[in-house]
Amino acid sequence: MSDVIERARGALLAPAGLGEAELDRLMGRLLDHRIDYADLYFQHSRHEAWSLEEGRVKSGSHNIEQGVGVRAVSGEKTGFAYSDEIDLPALLDAAGAARAIARHGGGTRAAARRPVAGRELYAPIDPIGSLDDAAKVRLLEEVEAEARRQDPRVKQVMASLAAVHEVILVVRSDGVLAADIRPLVRLNVTVIVEGAGGRREQGSHGGGGRYAYAYFLQGDTAKGYAREAVRQALVNLEAVPAPAGSLQVVLGPGWPGILLHEAIGHGLEGDFNRKGTSAFAGRIGERVASPECTVVDDGTLQDRRGSLNVDDEGTPSQCTVLIENGVLKGYMQDTLNARLMKVAPTGNGRRESYAHLPMPRMTNTYMLADRHDPQEIIGSVSNGLYAVNFGGGQVDITSGKFVFSASEAYLIEGGRITRPVKGATLIGNGPDVLTRVTHVGNDMQLDSGVGTCGKDGQSVPVGVGQPTMLIDGLTVGGTQS
Amino acid sequence: MASVTETDTRGAFNVDELREGVASALAEARRLGASGAEASLSLSRGMVVTVRLGEVETIEHTRDRGLGVTVYFGQHTGSASSSDLRATAIRETVRAAASIAKYTAADDCAGLADPDTLATDIPDLDLHHPWALGSEAAIELAQRCEAAARDTDARIRNSDGASVSSHEGVEVYGNTHGFLGTVAATRHGLSCAVIAQNESGMQRDYWYSAARRAGDLEAAEQVGRSAAQRSLRRLDARKLATRRAPVVYEAPVAASLLSHFVGAVRGSSLYRQASFLLDRLDQPVFAPQVRIDERPHLKRALGSAPFDNEGVATRDRDLVRDGILQGYVLDSYSARKLKLRTTGNAGGVHNLSIAPGERDLAGLLAQMHTGLLVTELIGFGVNTVTGDYSRGAAGFWVENGEIQYPVEEITVAGNLKDMFRQLVAVGSDVDLRGNIRTGSILIDGMTIAGS
């Protein structure tokens, strides 16, 4: 709580000699023009990555990124400058540049500083040091051995282990002082298998979250990723060309929730709706999905990759109901767009780093479980597609068209799962695809902790999830017409 | 050097400091016992101004610095990077890389580029043209751009804004073979995105111009008008019934086809045997009239580089001639894995170009006669191991060589092995705004999925 703020001040401000007086001086400089709101975002991040191929950990890297973003907002206008030197002269310079967004004279006064407690969703630890380097190498080697053990057709195994330790501190003109210490780990395995006639296919799996590395050593977690990657690759060796055209599509639980992220998630970000450029603009209170659908964006899940104790503007995370029983309830907001839309911020103000401006971003976006049995859902389809794993997706929030690309899918024929088909891209229209969800399963799952969302050139870690669901009509981009 | 913003008090970049930084990183690596090392130090600064509905929306002052180090202890490698360029931070970064090298396994292909491949002559490619652009002037330019877009037609009802950007940077790379090279470059841009609307709904599109020299940018009003026209032509789009048909990829999206080609002939895909073009050297991979080459030394071009990320000399060369694959895209590591020589492509290709044909886009549509014109692609459904291709698309249905109506919510699918062989023609409408330079491309025999 306040302990996190003290630790963040110790890591970010103290080494630069930035005490209360210096923060006051910076704020004063920013607010000297007609500025409504200003903030300082201090960040120190360390990243490491290790990667294995051909049976050996051949490369590793370590990266440090640190600096301060200085933002001044006047109405809808933002002035922004940043410095990778955390020292007073550099910051005063940046403040001078940022405040030039507004005219000289007038302006607000800084409010008294008050610490704001964030949630306690993950341990404030440094995961990089949570395992010694020799053990990291051994972990990757064990994952590789497990993959090769599954089947002699496994020809290539590539595995990578990554961790981030991030400390952030936000100082705002309205007095809010907030901080967060964010661990993040991830383990990924990709395998290439070779089958009859020299046909080669690949499979991938991985996971992680806001833990120490010990997460992967629990039980069978790491080896489970290897087995799953091999399983997927072997399924793909048998895959026949996918059908082309509009079909009934059953989506499996978990990572297929990327459907929600693309179909409605981005379209419900506050900046697009404030500007009126989203296909969902002005539609609060309207039906945008079938009554079985309730979708939330929830930054408060324990230990999850997409979770945050506070967002990057110092607003505590929350669970925001986006769609309730099919009706559009709310958007995801950062402070700027919340203020312009005259609603409360929702803890969705995120930025890739101090060198980027915050904007509304998702955290963990998922659909709640309903009552159907997943086997019955599949059994109800006479001719369709069952898709259980995906690569990535993308959306045009103005036209509403979105895509996501299957990496493991099967034909459903007469209510039974029959042959695997090659990965095809599915395309739909966000504002109406969820109105064609006819069955929602009782098996809600979140993804395993591998999601990264890109918007406007900025990447942030996210989570997705959903139960098994049936969509009555989605275009499948196969080659068999 | 002219400064990029009026509030920047730091003046010109100090290139000597950067060179000293690289030298001290290499010296520290030697001191720690490394048998070899390479370091790259970069500094860039700039400004991005966005205007929306006629008013300033954001003014961003950018300033990025970075140090990247790779050390070799015999056949063991470690890498580290930092945004902190102080002397102590440089030493710590080298130490972090050295520490990693204690744990990585021996790799007989690891190491600096062979000395005889390094560039000895570093040509000046005329990449550095600072733009003395204050924020007021940038705002005015962006306003003119957006105003031209909004004035094009009453159906332009909303805007995502117009943006003016200007960046200037210096990068120094050095290694313990004695190579030390410096490249100073600038990049300026002008872009606009607007929304057209009618009873059928909203459509958004954009246009941009990018150049090393501000004088080479397209006129602001023209960028705005193009953005508006591209949005307007998407209105009243419909789905298509599923079918097979030829496809013309409009020049800006045709570049993606060549990116997939590069991905398949890149060294890392080949030595992992994760490519649909494995072992195809000297064999036909494209249709017989196709020629693809790389031109790293084009003056002021956006992909130009006098040497690659390892200091290796770059040179003009053919990748595909008469449809036959002439070479791969390799760095030193992947070249050693494949028992070949580096092609000077550590970090990527440089001004990859496909030979244009005689016909412009209208001529290509006439040649296609009936089929799909794709103007936008979304999604990532490309499998480099197998060549399987399936992506979301928007564009126009064409009959008798004429556009009939806009289409959306469709996919185009096939396999890149077949698509390259069925590449019927390249248009003369070459898009020069990036690292891949191509005209529109006509491909036969794709599957279009819709309703």
Side-chain angles (χ1 to χ4, degrees):
Chain A
M1 267 215 345
S2 57
D3 175 54
V4 168
I5 293 180
E6 282 318 301
R7 285 176 60 179
R9 288 175 84 130
L12 295 163
L13 302 184
L18 293 170
E20 294 304 320
E22 288 74 26
L23 292 180
D24 288 342
R25 200 170 149 201
L26 280 166
M27 242 349 134
R29 181 111 195 231
L30 277 165
L31 298 175
D32 191 38
H33 288 195
R34 285 189 189 131
I35 297 297
D36 300 326
Y37 167 90
D39 63 16
L40 305 165
Y41 180 88
F42 294 82
Q43 174 195 4
H44 178 94
S45 299
R46 282 166 50 242
H47 306 236
E48 74 163 8
W50 298 84
S51 71
L52 172 149
E53 66 174 357
E54 299 177 329
R56 293 164 293 165
V57 174
K58 295 195 263 168
S59 63
S61 66
H62 183 268
N63 165 258
I64 292 181
E65 187 177 20
Q66 66 169 28
V68 189
V70 180
R71 177 168 64 144
V73 181
S74 174
E76 286 178 51
K77 308 182 211 289
T78 302
F80 180 58
Y82 55 87
S83 169
D84 50 37
E85 289 166 297
I86 307 185
D87 68 46
L88 190 57
L91 296 182
L92 285 168
D93 256 355
R99 74 177 183 180
I101 190 71
R103 301 221 183 293
H104 187 81
T108 43
R109 301 189 63 80
R113 219 155 285 129
R114 51 192 173 86
V116 158
R119 299 184 184 278
E120 291 176 33
L121 304 171
Y122 33 87
I125 52 135
D126 174 5
I128 294 176
S130 68
L131 204 60
D132 65 64
D133 289 347
K136 294 166 195 171
V137 168
R138 272 197 312 272
L139 173 59
L140 287 171
E141 289 170 346
E142 279 163 22
V143 162
E144 199 259 359
E146 182 72 6
R148 291 206 179 268
R149 206 174 293 140
Q150 300 310 301
D151 195 291
R153 288 172 290 177
V154 172
K155 295 298 174 211
Q156 298 274 344
V157 180
M158 287 147 306
S160 64
L161 185 66
V164 181
H165 175 232
E166 179 172 83
V167 181
I168 63 121
L169 180 78
V170 185
V171 182
R172 293 168 31 164
S173 57
D174 62 357
V176 167
L177 179 69
D180 202 2
I181 297 175
R182 301 166 174 166
L184 192 62
V185 295
R186 178 175 166 162
L187 173 61
N188 267 91
V189 188
T190 299
V191 306
I192 297 188
V193 296
E194 185 173 311
R199 176 174 173 178
R200 296 172 83 88
E201 294 281 353
Q202 69 185 350
S204 264
H205 196 61
R210 299 197 180 280
Y211 307 103
Y213 277 132
Y215 174 75
F216 300 120
L217 303 175
Q218 283 167 25
D220 230 14
T221 304
K223 292 182 183 166
Y225 298 154
R227 289 195 296 271
E228 172 61 17
V230 174
R231 186 198 64 77
Q232 263 188 52
L234 294 176
V235 165
N236 285 327
L237 271 185
E238 312 299 318
V240 298
S246 184
L247 285 178
Q248 286 187 300
V249 175
V250 176
L251 297 177
W255 181 247
I258 193 181
L259 158 79
L260 305 169
H261 180 103
E262 304 298 352
I264 60 124
H266 280 296
L268 296 181
E269 287 165 344
D271 46 354
F272 300 132
N273 289 286
R274 186 255 305 175
K275 295 182 195 182
T277 58
S278 165
F280 290 97
R283 298 192 62 194
I284 300 276
E286 290 181 21
R287 173 162 297 288
V288 296
S290 64
E292 291 88 352
C293 299
T294 294
V295 182
V296 302
D297 181 85
D298 187 357
T300 71
L301 300 175
Q302 200 74 20
D303 297 325
R304 303 297 303 189
R305 177 175 171 87
S307 297
L308 296 168
N309 288 329
V310 286
D311 73 5
D312 293 319
E313 295 180 306
T315 306
S317 58
Q318 63 180 56
C319 180
T320 303
V321 178
L322 301 175
I323 295 173
E324 187 166 50
N325 302 320
V327 176
L328 184 60
K329 288 303 209 188
Y331 303 124
M332 290 166 280
Q333 302 287 4
D334 63 357
T335 58
L336 185 147
N337 290 289
R339 180 167 44 82
L340 293 173
M341 293 190 83
K342 300 184 175 32
V343 295
T346 56
N348 288 96
R350 304 184 68 180
R351 64 206 291 173
E352 178 178 313
S353 80
Y354 67 88
H356 299 86
L357 275 170
M359 49 180 163
R361 302 299 296 265
M362 287 175 265
T363 59
N364 301 297
T365 313
Y366 59 93
M367 181 181 288
L368 305 190
D370 197 63
R371 60 202 160 81
H372 285 95
D373 173 64
Q375 291 311 307
E376 282 171 20
I377 295 177
I378 293 168
S380 74
V381 173
S382 54
N383 179 33
L385 191 80
Y386 178 51
V388 295
N389 270 305
F390 287 85
Q394 203 175 350
V395 61
D396 172 339
I397 51 91
T398 299
S399 69
K401 309 301 171 249
F402 71 94
V403 292
F404 53 139
S405 300
S407 55
E408 182 188 353
Y410 304 84
L411 291 177
I412 304 176
E413 298 172 288
R416 310 177 80 79
I417 293 170
T418 59
R419 289 165 295 164
V421 295
K422 281 171 175 283
T425 288
L426 309 183
I427 189 167
N429 183 41
D432 60 68
V433 67
L434 294 185
T435 64
R436 289 199 304 283
V437 170
T438 56
H439 297 68
V440 175
N442 55 20
D443 57 341
M444 206 298 277
Q445 274 180 41
L446 295 166
D447 80 272
S448 54
V450 291
T452 300
C453 170
K455 173 178 171 183
D456 218 10
Q458 292 195 43
S459 294
V460 293
V462 294
V464 298
Q466 64 173 41
T468 297
M469 69 162 81
L470 169 56
I471 300 175
D472 191 18
L474 198 55
T475 299
V476 177
T479 49
Q480 295 300 104
S481 55
Chain B
M1 292 185 200
S3 61
V4 176
T5 73
E6 70 274 71
T7 58
D8 182 357
T9 57
R10 288 182 193 83
F13 291 133
N14 189 333
V15 177
D16 287 332
E17 261 179 37
L18 288 181
R19 291 200 186 106
E20 275 158 32
V22 166
S24 82
L26 299 179
E28 179 69 12
R30 283 281 197 214
R31 208 182 62 75
L32 295 173
S35 50
E38 53 194 331
S40 156
L41 241 129
S42 65
L43 209 59
S44 80
R45 62 184 175 196
M47 176 176 60
V48 182
V49 163
T50 319
V51 155
R52 179 169 174 262
L53 299 175
E55 302 285 333
V56 172
E57 186 176 57
T58 59
I59 302 179
E60 291 183 48
H61 300 276
T62 67
R63 189 168 164 273
D64 297 282
R65 305 187 306 172
L67 161 71
V69 173
T70 298
V71 300
Y72 301 95
F73 284 74
Q75 296 177 338
H76 300 260
T77 312
S79 298
S81 64
S82 171
S83 58
D84 189 347
L85 301 192
R86 289 172 295 185
T88 46
I90 291 179
R91 281 196 296 276
E92 270 163 34
T93 305
V94 176
R95 253 176 262 145
S99 171
I100 289 171
K102 287 202 204 72
Y103 295 95
T104 51
D107 184 346
D108 59 9
C109 294
L112 296 172
D114 294 333
D116 65 338
T117 62
L118 296 170
T120 46
D121 161 53
I122 299 176
D124 174 6
L125 301 178
D126 197 23
L127 303 175
H128 186 241
H129 293 270
W131 190 6
L133 178 78
S135 54
E136 289 305 316
I139 291 167
E140 195 265 338
L141 194 60
Q143 283 170 328
R144 278 198 281 125
C145 181
E146 195 201 33
R150 296 173 72 202
D151 288 344
T152 299
D153 191 291
R155 292 168 296 165
I156 300 294
R157 305 260 184 83
N158 204 340
S159 170
D160 253 341
S163 177
V164 172
S165 67
S166 175
H167 296 277
E168 179 187 6
V170 182
E171 183 157 342
V172 177
Y173 169 84
N175 64 32
T176 48
H177 283 323
F179 182 90
L180 188 67
T182 305
V183 182
T186 50
R187 192 189 171 101
H188 313 296
L190 180 51
S191 69
C192 182
V194 288
I195 287 144
Q197 184 168 14
N198 68 3
E199 326 70 49
S200 72
M202 295 192 289
Q203 292 284 355
R204 174 192 182 278
D205 214 319
Y206 63 93
W207 190 249
Y208 71 93
S209 178
R212 298 284 189 191
R213 187 172 64 182
D216 294 335
L217 288 171
E218 217 181 324
E221 291 80 359
Q222 187 51 46
V223 172
R225 277 194 295 271
S226 296
Q229 281 151 11
R230 295 176 73 85
S231 310
L232 288 163
R233 67 182 188 168
R234 295 173 67 139
L235 287 171
D236 302 305
R238 15 181 144 162
K239 267 182 100 140
L240 270 181
T242 301
R243 63 193 65 183
R244 281 181 68 77
V247 175
V248 168
Y249 285 76
E250 196 193 33
V253 297
S256 63
L257 295 170
L258 296 175
S259 290
H260 304 324
F261 164 65
V262 171
V265 296
R266 178 175 293 134
S268 53
S269 305
L270 294 168
Y271 80 72
R272 289 171 182 147
Q273 304 193 304
S275 164
F276 64 93
L277 290 180
L278 199 55
D279 298 328
R280 302 305 305 277
L281 200 56
D282 300 322
Q283 294 185 25
V285 302
F286 276 92
Q289 83 285 0
V290 172
R291 177 170 178 216
I292 298 172
D293 64 358
E294 188 188 17
R295 304 178 202 167
H297 296 178
L298 288 175
K299 294 248 169 44
R300 288 199 310 282
L302 287 162
S304 298
F307 51 87
D308 77 2
N309 288 5
E310 298 179 301
V312 170
T314 52
R315 57 176 56 86
D316 289 358
R317 64 182 183 116
D318 282 347
L319 273 89
V320 173
R321 193 166 56 234
D322 301 324
I324 295 171
L325 187 60
Q326 306 292 311
Y328 298 133
V329 172
L330 305 175
D331 59 4
S332 300
Y333 183 81
S334 57
R336 287 176 192 132
K337 290 294 274 188
L338 296 167
K339 303 197 185 345
L340 295 170
R341 200 170 149 88
T342 175
T343 54
N345 291 114
V349 291
H350 308 110
N351 299 324
L352 190 82
S353 309
I354 181 168
E358 305 272 295
R359 298 183 162 99
D360 62 7
L361 177 56
L364 229 54
L365 296 183
Q367 183 178 359
M368 176 172 75
H369 194 268
T370 296
L372 179 69
L373 167 61
V374 168
T375 54
E376 180 185 76
L377 288 164
I378 54 171
F380 305 97
V382 180
N383 185 330
T384 307
V385 176
T386 60
D388 291 326
Y389 180 99
S390 171
R391 300 191 69 188
F396 300 87
W397 184 248
V398 173
E399 277 169 15
N400 302 317
E402 303 283 337
I403 285 174
Q404 301 299 308
Y405 45 81
V407 293
E408 62 179 4
E409 209 179 327
I410 55 171
T411 57
V412 289
N415 185 292
L416 287 162
K417 278 188 291 246
D418 303 322
M419 289 160 66
F420 291 164
R421 300 284 288 143
Q422 284 153 207
L423 196 161
V424 174
V426 180
S428 59
D429 54 337
V430 181
D431 185 344
L432 295 173
R433 299 172 301 158
N435 191 27
I436 295 184
R437 303 148 71 96
T438 174
S440 299
I441 291 180
L442 169 57
I443 304 245
D444 215 353
M446 307 233 12
T447 302
I448 298 161
S451 43

